Amino acid sequence: MAQASTGGPDGDSGAVDSGDGSAGADVGLGGYRQELKRTLGSFQVFAISFAFISVAVGVFATYDEVLRSSGPVGIWLWPLAAVGQTLVALVVAQFAARIPLSGSSYQWASRLGSTRTGWWFGWLTFCYLAIAVVAIDNALASQAFMPLAGIAPDEGTARVITLVVLFVQAVLAIASTRLVGWINSAAVGLEVVLVVVVAIALLVAVAVTGDGSAGNLTSRGVAAHAPGYFAVGGGLMLAMIMGLATLVGFDSAANLAEEAKDPHRSVPRAIVGSVVAAGILGMLLLIALTVAVQDLPRITAEGSPVAAIMRDRLGPSAEKGLLVAISFAFFGAGIVVMTACSRLVYAMSRDGRFPAHRVMRRVDPRTRTPVPATLLILALGCVLMVALPGAALLELITASTILPALIYGATIVLYLAVRRRLGRREGAFDLGRLELPVAGCALAWTLLALFALVTPREALVPVVVVAGLLGLGGLFFLGMLLFDRESLETEPGADTDW
């Protein structure tokens, strides 16, 4: 294995103690020096991926859409999505075990495909994460915090609260990665307890009172007579959005691989384990909620069906407790996305492939966090909140559900193309002989997921938005080809055999 350089494109040199000898060596083999501090243990790494997925938040935010489009029976598309996303996670984990560098798919594609291919992976992921921060924090404000505080629905108020939340998250993310890990560990612990306790409490309430119905699990509810229910883009297919919009972001742990201890093991396990745990807990919660519904038309018409079910079955205090826990889960998910996005910006910038890269690659010597990159995510969130009207912001957020499917599909294609060139590391995560059938099934699933996301009529504008983001990236990419081709073609540690 060849020796790598100790500096990036801007000529930085010197070593910083990683706190983990073997993991620090991986950063050196990548052509970099260890600037970020390794503080994340196995559970904290798992918490990062699980907090991004945030099954309670996903169900809370999308259960109403399932009831309206397909009726309660649509919840049975959740296990299909869980199995499909687990297959994708297994492929992603194969890469994470071999190239544990900040930037995840950007690094994998750059080093195993080409630097130009890697840039596009990075751009798509950046767009997705930057939008996701705003989507999560705006949902926190409008769907959880404002109802909890008794504030009447108002878009302007929700935007102000979103800006405050973005600022607090940025301060915490800059202050300490260890602090972010603690916050997420607490959020994940609370979320797991919440899901289990709520599910059990609802089932006990149904058993004691005799209200509710197991027949809800096969009911089409208000969508019973909807035209085109089984058609392409019809009501049943629309119910896929719950699983596809929730069970994503599990690769966020890979974006913090340079801050994880023993990343060859902890990061892949976090990626796969978070999807499996979210899939099981989510199905438990969905069954309990659905069985507990007494009046399907009324609950379907509610702005927040989950909160309404809690209020009906367990009382107003339980509803308040749910909103507190959901708010904390939203906050944890938002800070994870902001942190992951800043690490991607940092990773691309130290290779000279991001706007203002000389500034964006800087790491504070005291906090060991990429401060300018984090402030950029904060600034973009503020711009989106202040500048975009409500309809445009909603379409942008909806478009962000398409981006992860594109990224995962491209990642699987990359894996199938380069898998024979990947080395094997003793003790690291490895699918062995199962890698080809798993990757093949994962690709088939991702194509199905993309089809489900883009075929409904409601998806036309989001598809156009995604095309616009690709076009914007194409302009910067063209600028690099014309004026900074060397950065685009120079790969630190290019002679390393991964």
Side-chain angles (χ1 to χ4, degrees):
M1 186 173 289
Q3 293 297 315
S5 62
T6 57
D10 294 327
D12 288 332
S13 62
V16 179
D17 181 21
S18 69
D20 185 326
S22 61
D26 288 315
V27 178
L29 291 171
Y32 311 117
R33 62 192 181 102
Q34 181 77 39
E35 294 182 289
L36 305 176
K37 190 174 183 180
R38 293 194 182 275
T39 58
L40 301 175
S42 295
F43 182 77
Q44 290 173 319
V45 175
F46 167 82
I48 286 167
S49 284
F50 191 89
F52 194 126
I53 295 173
S54 193
V55 61
V57 166
V59 171
F60 185 84
T62 59
Y63 189 61
D64 59 337
E65 178 63 29
V66 172
L67 293 180
R68 287 194 298 267
S69 62
S70 69
V73 71
I75 68 170
W76 296 107
L77 291 174
W78 176 275
L80 174 63
V83 172
Q85 295 300 84
T86 299
L87 291 171
V88 176
L90 287 168
V91 177
V92 171
Q94 290 282 94
F95 277 133
R98 289 162 175 77
I99 307 180
L101 298 173
S102 295
S104 60
S105 59
Y106 158 72
Q107 292 282 10
W108 308 333
S110 294
R111 295 174 183 280
L112 299 172
S114 71
T115 52
R116 298 181 184 188
T117 302
W119 187 90
W120 281 103
F121 271 82
W123 175 252
L124 283 173
T125 305
F126 168 73
C127 290
Y128 167 55
L129 294 176
I131 297 170
V133 175
V134 176
I136 292 170
D137 288 349
N138 189 241
L140 187 163
S142 60
Q143 297 182 33
F145 181 79
M146 290 173 66
L148 175 65
I151 301 174
D154 178 73
E155 183 179 331
T157 303
R159 289 182 182 235
V160 171
I161 295 172
T162 302
L163 292 173
V164 173
V165 173
L166 283 166
F167 177 77
V168 173
Q169 290 170 336
V171 170
L172 294 173
I174 287 171
S176 169
T177 303
R178 186 190 296 274
L179 181 59
V180 171
W182 287 341
I183 291 172
N184 281 296
S185 295
V188 166
L190 177 62
E191 183 171 354
V192 170
V193 171
L194 168 72
V195 169
V196 173
V197 169
V198 165
I200 293 174
L202 288 174
L203 292 174
V204 169
V206 170
V208 170
T209 63
D211 297 327
S213 172
N216 290 340
L217 296 173
T218 56
S219 171
R220 288 165 60 178
V222 299
H225 304 293
Y229 181 82
F230 294 102
V232 172
L236 186 61
M237 183 176 284
L238 285 173
M240 286 281 285
I241 190 66
M242 181 163 61
L244 295 178
T246 302
L247 299 172
V248 294
F250 43 81
D251 52 321
S252 56
N255 256 330
L256 277 76
E258 291 179 31
E259 294 156 271
K261 300 174 183 177
D262 193 17
H264 292 281
R265 296 180 180 85
S266 63
V267 173
R269 289 172 181 171
I271 289 171
V272 178
S274 60
V275 182
V276 173
I280 294 171
L281 289 172
M283 195 69 245
L284 174 65
L285 179 60
L286 286 169
I287 290 173
L289 286 170
T290 303
V291 169
V293 175
Q294 293 175 277
D295 186 342
L296 269 174
R298 179 179 65 81
I299 291 297
T300 302
E302 289 278 354
S304 175
V306 176
I309 294 169
M310 291 283 290
R311 182 173 61 250
D312 289 350
R313 285 302 190 181
L314 305 175
S317 297
E319 181 191 7
K320 290 289 185 182
L322 171 70
L323 290 174
V324 169
I326 290 292
S327 296
F328 192 29
F330 265 121
F331 185 84
I335 198 171
V336 161
V337 180
M338 177 177 284
T339 304
C341 193
S342 69
R343 284 359 180 227
L344 175 65
V345 171
Y346 162 75
M348 295 182 72
S349 296
R350 67 181 174 184
D351 292 340
R353 300 174 194 157
F354 196 85
H357 60 85
R358 288 181 175 82
V359 174
M360 294 300 157
R361 73 183 307 276
R362 292 176 184 168
V363 174
D364 185 271
R366 185 177 61 84
T367 65
R368 303 276 287 277
T369 56
V371 176
T374 307
L375 293 177
L376 172 67
I377 313 306
L378 170 63
L380 288 174
C382 292
V383 169
L384 292 177
M385 278 290 99
V386 173
L388 284 185
L393 180 63
L394 180 61
E395 296 294 356
L396 184 64
I397 290 172
T398 305
S400 70
T401 62
I402 299 174
L403 289 171
L406 283 174
I407 295 164
Y408 292 147
T411 302
I412 296 166
V413 170
L414 173 69
Y415 182 79
L416 289 170
V418 305
R419 66 184 184 85
R420 294 186 183 278
R421 291 162 42 197
L422 287 173
R424 296 289 186 267
R425 183 186 182 106
E426 185 177 355
F429 181 87
D430 191 355
L431 286 175
R433 295 180 179 179
L434 294 176
E435 62 175 352
L436 188 56
V438 167
C441 292
L443 180 59
W445 160 253
T446 306
L447 293 174
L448 175 63
L450 271 171
F451 181 75
L453 288 168
V454 304
T455 49
R457 286 178 299 175
E458 297 85 347
L460 177 59
V461 175
V463 168
V464 173
V465 171
V466 171
L469 293 172
L470 289 171
L472 182 62
L475 291 176
F476 180 73
F477 185 77
L478 179 61
M480 292 192 68
L481 286 176
L482 294 175
F483 305 110
D484 195 12
R485 185 182 292 266
E486 183 179 356
S487 292
L488 194 59
E489 295 180 347
T490 302
E491 184 69 73
D495 53 354
T496 299
D497 180 10
W498 294 103

